[in-house]
Amino acid sequence: MTLTLNGEKTDIHDNLTVEGLLGYLKIEPARVAVEVNLAIIKKDDFHNRVLKDGDKVEIVNFVGGG
Amino acid sequence: MNDNLIIRDIEFKSRLWVGTGKYKDFEETKLAIEASGADVVTVAVRRTNIFDNKSENLLDFIDPKKYKILPNTAGCFTMEDALRYSRLARETGISDLIKLEVLGDEKTLFPDACATLQATEILAKEGFIVLPYINDDPIMAQRLVDAGAAAVMPLAAPIGSGLGIRNPYNIKIILEQATVPVIVDAGVGTASDVAVAMELGCDAVLLNTAIAGAKDPIAMATAMNHAVKAGRLAYKAGRIERKLYATASSPIEGML
């Protein structure tokens, strides 16, 4: 399937949950927030939210700012 | 006596709050924050660098157990964006605090008062501890408190301008009316600007560029640390009245 991942079209295997995606990207779930198609996914739902072809996924964290 | 700042049920050890932007690297960020004595640090919400997961993370250098992390909505020019960033910030699980910025103009980075007010109302209802960045406008400060702001953060001058407090009289009026803490945010240039804000009676000062942009950020952070304490002490001590003419300090009595 193809996801739009932080604004970039990315091909990735099917039947992937948010947790699976973070694991694939080697991103620590504790440090990030995830949005799929503009809806925030709660951390408790990372393991059961299955991603679909065409989903727009945003993964954010904290950076330096004032 | 404990003179710590309290917002809602959160106690802050420092009246100097600092940003984490514009530093050379995370190491310099860490050293400057340590030197400043601040226990609150602001951060921005941005896309994770997913294609380079080995890149260093800010929170590896700024321990959330040691510092209170205050996420901001910097860069948001609409109420909708500010809400989106606020909700994402809270979802990381760090805190319910949000430094709400809804900007109105790219050149001045002055806040959009209407959008800030609307966003404050919505976020406060959602349980956020909303700290809105506002102009030095006493009426707006009142409106924001009515909308549920936990503190108000009037600017000293435009963000990053280093001009210091441009309208101390408005800040005084905000302080006189405020039923929540008043934190001067943005526009501070050097230590004396911080001291002036604290001497006026402000509850805290938030700054970033004044330290990060100094030739020696660590030394400036130390200066700010002293300035906030000196200013606070001077405010509590109660300064003398300003007078036009001289009053001798030495007695006339006993003179030859």
Side-chain angles (χ1 to χ4, degrees), chain B residues 33-54:
Chain B
I33 291 169
E34 279 171 5
S36 77
D39 73 334
V40 181
V41 297
T42 62
V43 296
V45 177
R46 293 293 182 266
R47 281 173 167 163
T48 303
N49 191 350
I50 49 177
F51 303 107
D52 176 19
N53 53 46
K54 284 185 188 62

Side-chain angles (χ1 to χ4, degrees), chain B residues 148-164:
Chain B
V152 287
M153 308 185 84
L155 54 77
I159 296 171
S161 69
L163 291 173

Side-chain angles (χ1 to χ4, degrees), chain B residues 211-249:
Chain B
I211 292 178
K215 280 191 186 130
D216 183 343
I218 316 299
M220 186 57 89
T222 309
M224 296 301 191
N225 187 347
H226 289 298
V228 81
K229 287 171 182 156
R232 179 69 182 171
L233 273 172
Y235 167 70
K236 301 269 282 186
R239 60 154 299 148
I240 60 163
E241 292 302 314
R242 287 181 172 87
K243 289 185 299 189
L244 193 54
Y245 294 104
T247 313
S249 300

Side-chain angles (χ1 to χ4, degrees), chain B:
Chain B
M1 203 185 95
N2 185 343
D3 183 41
N4 286 351
L5 169 62
I6 295 171
I7 299 178
R8 296 282 159 88
D9 57 346
I10 306 170
E11 187 170 358
F12 299 88
K13 291 191 202 81
S14 166
R15 290 178 181 274
L16 179 66
W17 296 9
V18 296
T20 52
K22 297 186 184 172
Y23 285 98
K24 190 177 68 190
D25 51 36
F26 286 147
E27 186 59 27
E28 188 184 70
T29 314
K30 184 185 161 198
L31 292 174
I33 291 169
E34 279 171 5
S36 77
D39 73 334
V40 181
V41 297
T42 62
V43 296
V45 177
R46 293 293 182 266
R47 281 173 167 163
T48 303
N49 191 350
I50 49 177
F51 303 107
D52 176 19
N53 53 46
K54 284 185 188 62
S55 63
E56 291 169 324
N57 187 299
L58 177 65
L59 296 187
D60 292 332
F61 290 81
I62 314 294
D63 184 358
K65 288 191 197 79
K66 200 168 150 198
Y67 297 98
K68 293 179 182 69
I69 307 294
L70 174 57
N72 68 27
T73 62
C76 293
F77 283 83
T78 64
M79 184 197 68
E80 291 75 16
D81 272 352
L83 296 178
R84 186 183 184 196
Y85 278 69
S86 300
R87 290 165 182 155
L88 281 167
R90 180 156 76 169
E91 209 49 41
T92 60
I94 290 275
S95 87
D96 292 337
L97 289 164
I98 191 78
K99 184 194 156 196
L100 178 67
E101 288 180 33
V102 193
L103 305 171
D105 170 64
E106 282 189 27
K107 194 170 176 183
T108 61
L109 297 180
F110 280 143
D112 179 327
C114 301
T116 303
L117 183 61
Q118 288 175 321
T120 297
E121 197 164 5
I122 293 168
L123 292 171
K125 278 191 186 130
E126 290 179 17
F128 282 88
I129 299 169
V130 189
L131 314 176
Y133 156 70
I134 58 164
N135 227 312
D136 51 8
D137 177 348
I139 307 300
M140 193 58 201
Q142 290 284 86
R143 295 280 184 274
L144 286 162
V145 173
D146 294 343
V152 287
M153 308 185 84
L155 54 77
I159 296 171
S161 69
L163 291 173
I165 293 190
R166 293 297 79 207
N167 197 337
Y169 305 103
N170 273 26
I171 300 287
K172 269 192 120 143
I173 295 171
I174 292 173
L175 283 163
E176 214 172 273
Q177 298 176 339
T179 51
V180 298
V182 176
I183 299 156
V184 160
D185 173 18
V188 164
T190 187
S192 55
D193 296 335
V194 170
V196 167
M198 295 310 292
E199 285 170 13
L200 283 170
C202 293
D203 294 280
V205 175
L206 187 134
L207 56 88
N208 188 152
T209 310
I211 292 178
K215 280 191 186 130
D216 183 343
I218 316 299
M220 186 57 89
T222 309
M224 296 301 191
N225 187 347
H226 289 298
V228 81
K229 287 171 182 156
R232 179 69 182 171
L233 273 172
Y235 167 70
K236 301 269 282 186
R239 60 154 299 148
I240 60 163
E241 292 302 314
R242 287 181 172 87
K243 289 185 299 189
L244 193 54
Y245 294 104
T247 313
S249 300
S250 307
I252 302 293
E253 201 186 311
M255 284 193 75
L256 305 179

Side-chain angles (χ1 to χ4, degrees), chain A:
Chain A
M1 64 177 168
T2 304
L3 301 174
T4 304
L5 199 50
N6 282 5
E8 307 242 358
K9 290 239 189 296
T10 309
D11 288 319
I12 205 154
H13 62 86
D14 289 351
N15 289 319
L16 199 60
T17 61
V18 169
E19 188 177 77
L21 174 66
L22 293 175
Y24 173 78
L25 295 169
K26 297 187 174 62
I27 291 172
E28 174 59 48
R31 289 273 175 83
V32 297
V34 178
E35 203 186 65
V36 178
N37 304 329
L38 295 176
I40 287 174
I41 309 300
K42 299 267 174 203
K43 279 195 170 46
D44 290 347
D45 294 329
F46 279 6
H47 70 284
N48 57 27
R49 178 61 158 86
V50 180
L51 297 166
K52 297 188 304 291
D53 184 56
D55 277 350
K56 289 187 172 62
V57 181
E58 295 286 354
I59 304 171
V60 301
N61 64 356
F62 291 136
V63 302

